[in-house]
Amino acid sequence: MSSDLPTHQGGDLTRTTVPRPCVLVILGAAGDLALRKLFPALYNLECDGLLPEPFTVVGFARRTIDDEAFRAIVLEGMQKHSRRAPEAAAWERFAKRIHYAEGSFEDAAAFAGLRNRIEAIEGESGIASERIFYLSIPPTSIVACVQGLAAAGLLAARHEGQAGARIIIEKPIGRDLAGAQAINDAVAREIHESRIFRIDHYLGKETVQNILVLRFANSIFEPLWNQKYIDHIQITVAEKEGVGTRAGYYEEAGALRDMVQNHILQVLCLVAMEPPWSLAPEVVRDHKMGVLNCLRPIRGGDVERNVIRAQYGVGKLGEKEVPGYRREDRVRPDSTTETFVAIRAFIDNWRWAGVPFYIRTGKSLPSRVSEVAIRFKEAPPVLFHAGVLRPIEPNVLVLRIQPDEGLALSIACKQPGGRVEIQRVEMDFQYDSAFQQSSPEAYERLLLDVMAGDATLFMRRDAVEASWSWVGGILDGWEGGGARWLPEYAAGSWGPVEADRLIAEDGRAWRVP
Ligand code: BG6
């Protein structure tokens, strides 16, 4: 198999992504992700006039229904989850693009049927469109599904000079390094790496993309972006929701696998990477790998010293009583799955030597907030800083990923008046008010990028495996810990006291977002 996408030269974050005519097949089209995120994202692209022409989406799922019935299901999902409520004319245009094919991932005949359906659609338009397969399916079905597509001839190039199909794979890819490698190996036997788009929806968020712009389109931050000026960095991804209806998956995953292995490490890479020499996908992805390669392993006895895991117990979120995790639907009453994790990590390279990266994520926390807080070193202890009784808080730059997307820089200022009283004030930039428009959903940008063949914002195999390798050291440490003792935190609190101690040991404290 050859690499047939121009990803080395083709992508560029600054370029307008130009999607090519395509047939997008969503496998698992009646599932939660498809109905909550994928169809609404496509509908919003329709409203913005960004879909290519022609564009068709084929839903593939087990249910025996026809196109019309499937469109009704999609519309219902859209009414609940789309950032724009469906509007008659746009919906009518969009609905015409939606088709349905029935089938199971284990059934070769179903894939042959799918091929016939796609060929019929392509025949009508008379255009050799791109084929994209979105595997919105349980991770255990990925390999069978890719093999089924390949056996039905759906992944191969159809015309001289044309690329084969692209596939989009959702996380989690495996539960550990060996599992991820097995999936990646099996998939690689059927389709070239350049046509595999491993999605991490955090990379599609406006504010996450803005990290690179902030760092490399301004001249004031980069000179300070290193161990000489930065005291430490905190990455927080807090969720207010508990496990909800996803216990079946979450019980086997836990916070470390669910959030750190992918989203948080990806954000960390963008914050910590060296300046890439170009914005081409492979260059950006190589530089992110540079961070993962320098992430100090946390293994054995280091796990207990640097990682806190915990589970939420009974508590209150506002006025709402929250049952403890173990009493949630489909959770084992003696579950030891962590719903919170806090980590002290280090990146052992010239730029970041000695700078701790404190990471925390959890469910049933007081608010939904994702942010990166960069805490600069204190000013020299002279002049305004000389009095020990009046410490001046150091500058903090906060990149708010969600909600209230934006950034804030705290600085010390003189309070008006005859005496020199110093106060911390915030320079605050908010996307909403600055640009007067709501940000597109992450999936809108990412789907468009796949249609254009731009892999910059997708995870390459080596990054997925390097992340698993790092997370695996922690998982092994927990396994080795025998009984897996697990602290509890009250739902609605900021996590267990052990997490506060982790950072307090270093003379620091978690920010209250
Ligand atoms: C998913 C996790 O990848 O990300 C979920 O599996 C989590 O557990 C979700 O709730 C968070 O995404 P967002 O975009 O709401 O921050």
Side-chain angles (χ1 to χ4, degrees):
M1 265 172 290
S2 66
S3 162
D4 37 21
L5 277 183
T7 45
H8 282 75
Q9 305 82 23
D12 178 340
L13 286 169
T14 59
R15 243 187 13 164
T16 311
T17 303
V18 184
R20 297 178 220 152
C22 65
V23 176
L24 170 67
V25 181
I26 301 181
L27 299 109
D32 223 39
L33 176 72
L35 298 177
R36 291 170 78 103
K37 298 284 185 191
L38 306 183
F39 282 105
L42 292 169
Y43 171 74
N44 281 286
L45 292 175
E46 171 82 64
C47 295
D48 290 330
L50 292 172
L51 289 175
E53 283 300 345
F55 171 80
T56 308
V57 52
V58 181
F60 183 77
R62 283 174 202 267
R63 287 195 219 174
T64 310
I65 44 174
D66 61 12
D67 286 357
E68 276 315 316
F70 183 62
R71 286 172 189 153
I73 294 172
V74 171
L75 179 60
E76 201 187 316
M78 204 94 76
Q79 276 151 349
K80 289 192 205 135
H81 305 294
S82 170
R83 76 184 164 95
R84 287 191 186 99
E87 177 266 319
W91 166 251
E92 207 174 298
R93 272 198 321 276
F94 184 59
K96 284 194 194 125
R97 301 181 187 274
I98 303 176
H99 299 254
Y100 182 78
E102 179 195 336
S104 129
F105 314 133
E106 289 90 42
D107 180 4
F111 283 108
L114 178 62
R115 190 189 58 222
N116 294 340
R117 193 72 199 270
I118 295 172
E119 283 171 356
I121 291 167
E122 287 170 341
E124 276 169 34
S125 77
I127 290 181
S129 45
E130 305 283 346
R131 289 177 180 174
I132 301 172
F133 296 93
Y134 198 124
L135 276 53
S136 175
I137 58 178
T140 43
S141 305
I142 292 177
V143 173
C145 194
V146 174
Q147 288 167 344
L149 290 168
L154 281 164
L155 299 183
R158 287 156 292 143
H159 306 281
E160 185 80 17
Q162 192 202 27
R166 295 168 199 163
I167 60 170
I168 307 175
I169 304 182
E170 271 286 338
K171 65 155 264 254
I173 299 173
R175 286 192 77 241
D176 53 23
L177 177 59
Q181 283 169 330
I183 293 174
N184 284 334
D185 282 343
V187 171
R189 281 193 279 276
E190 311 298 346
I191 182 164
H192 191 274
E193 175 68 22
S194 63
R195 287 185 275 130
I196 303 170
F197 290 73
R198 296 181 190 84
I199 220 162
D200 182 314
H201 77 278
Y202 264 61
L203 295 177
K205 290 183 191 274
E206 280 292 335
T207 36
V208 172
Q209 293 172 49
N210 193 41
I211 296 173
L212 289 190
V213 178
L214 178 85
R215 290 190 57 196
F216 304 127
N218 293 290
S219 59
I220 58 170
F221 299 115
E222 203 46 29
L224 307 180
W225 213 261
N226 56 54
Q227 40 81 19
K228 283 199 192 109
Y229 299 98
I230 293 179
D231 177 74
H232 74 274
I233 293 183
Q234 295 187 17
I235 303 181
T236 299
V237 179
E239 294 187 274
K240 202 167 171 181
E241 293 295 310
V243 70
T245 54
R246 296 176 68 231
Y249 151 75
Y250 199 82
E251 269 287 87
E252 298 304 313
L256 185 69
R257 288 186 175 94
D258 186 45
M259 297 299 284
V260 179
Q261 186 273 337
N262 35 74
H263 309 320
I264 293 183
L265 287 185
Q266 286 296 310
V267 170
L268 179 126
C269 284
L270 295 174
V271 171
M273 71 195 263
E274 295 302 315
W277 49 267
S278 122
L279 288 171
E282 298 316 319
V283 179
V284 174
R285 301 199 295 179
D286 284 348
H287 282 70
K288 283 166 63 187
M289 264 311 288
V291 176
L292 295 172
N293 286 335
C294 298
L295 208 46
R296 186 186 301 169
I298 304 180
R299 296 200 190 107
D302 287 342
V303 174
E304 214 178 312
R305 280 191 290 279
N306 293 294
V307 186
I308 302 298
R309 59 197 297 275
Q311 193 183 70
Y312 65 84
V314 187
K316 260 188 150 186
L317 273 166
E319 287 310 298
K320 198 176 135 215
E321 305 273 348
V322 179
Y325 176 73
R326 290 178 184 172
R327 296 187 49 204
E328 299 271 22
D329 196 22
R330 294 167 65 205
V331 172
R332 289 185 296 271
D334 58 351
S335 168
T336 55
T337 300
E338 82 284 356
T339 61
F340 175 97
V341 66
I343 305 175
R344 173 174 41 223
F346 288 93
I347 297 169
D348 289 331
N349 63 14
W350 191 271
R351 183 186 287 267
W352 295 116
V355 178
F357 284 72
Y358 300 102
I359 293 168
R360 68 179 157 163
T361 182
K363 295 207 183 276
S364 285
L365 299 182
S367 53
R368 175 177 185 250
V369 52
S370 298
E371 64 166 42
V372 179
I374 293 126
R375 219 275 218 152
F376 291 89
K377 291 192 170 164
E378 290 181 8
V382 291
L383 307 180
F384 302 113
H385 232 288
V388 278
L389 294 177
R390 287 211 198 136
I392 301 172
E393 286 193 46
N395 304 104
V396 181
L397 175 66
V398 179
L399 319 180
R400 282 192 310 266
I401 295 173
Q402 63 188 22
D404 307 327
E405 291 92 338
L407 56 100
L409 176 64
S410 71
I411 46 178
C413 262
K414 179 183 173 302
Q415 225 175 286
R419 297 178 40 186
V420 178
E421 292 283 348
I422 295 180
Q423 261 222 8
R424 201 168 82 140
V425 295
E426 287 217 330
M427 293 170 68
D428 200 338
F429 149 75
Q430 297 193 342
Y431 268 73
D432 275 5
S433 48
F435 298 117
Q436 315 239 307
Q437 63 183 55
S438 67
S439 300
E441 285 277 331
Y443 281 97
E444 295 173 35
R445 165 70 196 247
L446 295 173
L447 284 167
L448 218 48
D449 280 0
V450 183
M451 293 178 209
D454 185 340
T456 315
L457 299 178
F458 294 81
M459 293 195 292
R460 215 166 53 185
R461 173 179 184 157
D462 52 356
V464 172
E465 293 179 4
S467 302
W468 272 124
S469 168
W470 189 75
V471 158
I474 300 174
L475 289 169
D476 290 348
W478 287 346
E479 289 299 327
R484 305 189 88 207
W485 174 76
L486 188 65
E488 213 177 69
Y489 59 100
S493 72
W494 277 108
V497 64
E498 286 80 356
D500 296 336
R501 280 193 209 126
L502 174 84
I503 190 167
E505 278 167 16
D506 301 343
R508 302 180 176 109
W510 294 109
R511 254 177 60 78
V512 179

